[in-house]
Amino acid sequence: MHGNEPLLSIRDLRVTAEKRDLTLVDGVSLDIHAGERMALVGESGSGKSLTCMSVISLLARGLRVSGGEIAWRGEDISRVSAGRMRQLRGREISMIYQEPLTSLNPVLSIGNQLGEAAKHVSASRADVLSMLDRVGFDRPERVLRQRPHELSGGMRQRVMIAMALLGRPRLLLADEPTTALDVTVQDQVLKLIYDITVETGTALLLVSHDLNVVRRIADTVAVLYTGRIAESGPTERVLSEPRHPYTDALLRSVPSLGVKADRLTAIPGRVPTPNEWTDGCRFASRCGFATATCVDKPPFAEFQGQASACWHTDRLIESKGAR
Ligand SMILES: Nc1ncnc2c1ncn2[C@@H]1O[C@H](COP(=O)(O)OP(=O)(O)OP(=O)(O)O)[C@@H](O)[C@H]1O
């Protein structure tokens, strides 16, 4: 479906909080090809945001990429200079965030801010207007004069999408882009992100905890747990035939993915915090399939493009047959 050479190739990414020498992302590997839409899912704290932030060199102070490689079209950008990253940002890789208000300056007009962004990527005023039209503004000229607080949350996120795509980047990173929006608006903004990335052939790395959204939008999915990938592969396969008990448990904890509301099961226990992480399987304490073997780190096993790190995939599949 996609070309062979990935746009983005992350290998064994490690992110560490320096002061406490705490590993927060612990060996994440993934590839995104041109035009591919990939979702990162997993419970809070699994390292989804940090993985995204690493790609665009926006880790918070005190955090650093302490291992692995992030190759962008063959160039290692994991420790790239600020100057080089500025060249890439907007033109090659763009990002939209949960809360557009934090990325927009409240005292400047939208026109002012889009103008700055346009300058950075050498886009014209006509490009800005046509992009605003594309993201759903009936009167683009008018929105240019407005300030962020005069717009609704959904409209602000549309502005951010326009800004992110002005430079026609090859990859859009979207970290829970609709979390801060009203439920009714969430769907519209997600549909816009989907349509516009399909139209322009922009690859997407979408952080989400909503499996229903992932199923609608993403070609491929990587399920993160405690800083590691538990399972990854084509969305349809991973979500219909999970090969990791964590994915299976996640699926059984959300409504309307073939599970009736009265059969939902919360995942028992809680996610271990980074200072509790062991080298072995970190899901073992919550997993119905765990045995003594799970104290050893489970290797990745691949099956028809689906990779999972579990010692007991066979038993999981057997149990599903019996269910
Ligand atoms: N600046 C920081 N300093 C120390 N620890 C941090 C920092 N930022 C994040 N962490 C920790 O790193 C881990 C991964 O965080 P991350 O934000 O990537 O998770 P996430 O999967 O995106 O979760 P969420 O869905 O809550 O956004 C968490 O345990 C978090 O507490």
Side-chain angles (χ1 to χ4, degrees):
M1 174 168 54
H2 304 288
N4 278 344
E5 281 303 305
L7 273 183
L8 177 73
S9 182
I10 301 181
R11 283 291 161 274
D12 209 19
L13 176 68
R14 223 159 279 275
V15 175
T16 307
E18 281 181 314
K19 253 199 197 136
R20 293 188 294 154
D21 192 24
L22 214 51
T23 302
L24 301 172
V25 174
D26 187 15
V28 163
S29 298
L30 53 88
D31 285 345
I32 301 182
H33 296 82
E36 178 178 347
R37 288 175 305 282
M38 175 183 279
L40 285 183
V41 299
E43 283 162 290
S44 193
S46 54
K48 305 181 297 291
S49 296
L50 295 185
T51 300
C52 272
M53 292 304 207
S54 303
V55 170
I56 200 159
S57 293
L58 286 178
L59 286 175
R61 192 177 294 209
L63 302 182
R64 71 183 176 96
V65 171
S66 54
E69 189 186 77
I70 303 173
W72 175 253
R73 304 175 73 210
E75 172 187 357
D76 186 1
I77 56 167
S78 59
R79 295 160 190 84
V80 84
S81 71
R84 176 69 182 131
M85 188 43 80
R86 253 196 313 277
Q87 288 174 342
L88 294 174
R89 246 182 246 145
R91 290 191 189 90
E92 298 267 312
I93 310 173
S94 281
M95 180 149 181
I96 50 177
Y97 305 86
Q98 287 184 11
E99 176 39 89
L101 261 192
T102 56
S103 341
L104 287 167
N105 186 328
V107 301
L108 297 178
S109 70
I110 300 296
N112 216 310
Q113 302 184 59
L114 277 172
E116 274 304 307
K119 210 175 349 163
H120 174 67
V121 298
S122 316
S124 66
R125 184 177 164 84
D127 293 335
V128 172
L129 291 173
S130 91
M131 191 56 91
L132 284 173
D133 177 63
R134 175 60 195 91
V135 299
F137 288 99
D138 295 340
R139 295 168 60 195
E141 294 279 2
R142 178 161 173 253
V143 75
L144 289 181
R145 291 191 298 272
Q146 292 181 301
R147 289 176 211 286
H149 68 265
E150 297 175 70
L151 303 176
S152 68
M155 288 301 175
R156 283 195 290 261
Q157 198 56 296
R158 286 171 193 271
V159 167
M160 293 312 297
I161 294 168
M163 196 181 280
L165 295 180
L166 257 185
R168 309 215 162 274
R170 295 170 201 267
L171 173 66
L172 178 66
L173 306 170
D175 189 355
E176 306 254 18
T178 59
T179 304
L181 305 180
D182 288 347
V183 177
T184 49
V185 182
Q186 291 186 352
D187 261 9
Q188 298 163 11
V189 171
L190 282 166
K191 182 167 182 337
L192 173 65
I193 292 173
Y194 177 85
D195 288 345
I196 207 166
T197 49
V198 170
E199 257 165 56
T200 54
T202 311
L204 176 71
L205 182 58
L206 173 77
V207 172
S208 178
H209 56 256
D210 186 334
L211 293 175
N212 293 312
V213 165
V214 169
R215 174 162 277 175
R216 273 184 10 230
I217 289 194
D219 307 312
T220 50
V221 59
V223 182
L224 262 71
Y225 189 74
T226 58
R228 291 177 177 166
I229 290 182
E231 173 161 14
S232 64
T235 306
E236 211 31 62
R237 286 195 61 87
V238 170
L239 299 190
S240 59
E241 293 169 57
R243 297 179 64 79
H244 195 292
Y246 177 58
T247 316
D248 187 53
L250 265 186
L251 282 162
R252 282 188 289 115
S253 68
V254 294
S256 80
L257 280 168
V259 183
K260 294 209 180 77
D262 60 347
R263 298 197 55 187
L264 292 181
T265 332
I267 307 177
R270 62 170 181 84
V271 184
T273 55
N275 57 340
E276 299 168 333
W277 292 354
T278 57
D279 191 47
C281 177
R282 294 168 186 163
F283 186 59
S285 62
R286 308 171 77 189
C287 179
F289 298 94
T291 63
T293 316
C294 305
V295 298
D296 292 326
K297 185 176 177 177
F300 272 100
E302 197 161 326
F303 176 75
Q304 298 183 351
Q306 195 173 350
S308 65
C310 173
W311 292 110
H312 299 304
T313 297
D314 292 349
R315 285 176 48 217
L316 167 69
I317 289 168
E318 237 169 71
S319 79
K320 292 180 82 67
R323 218 178 269 158

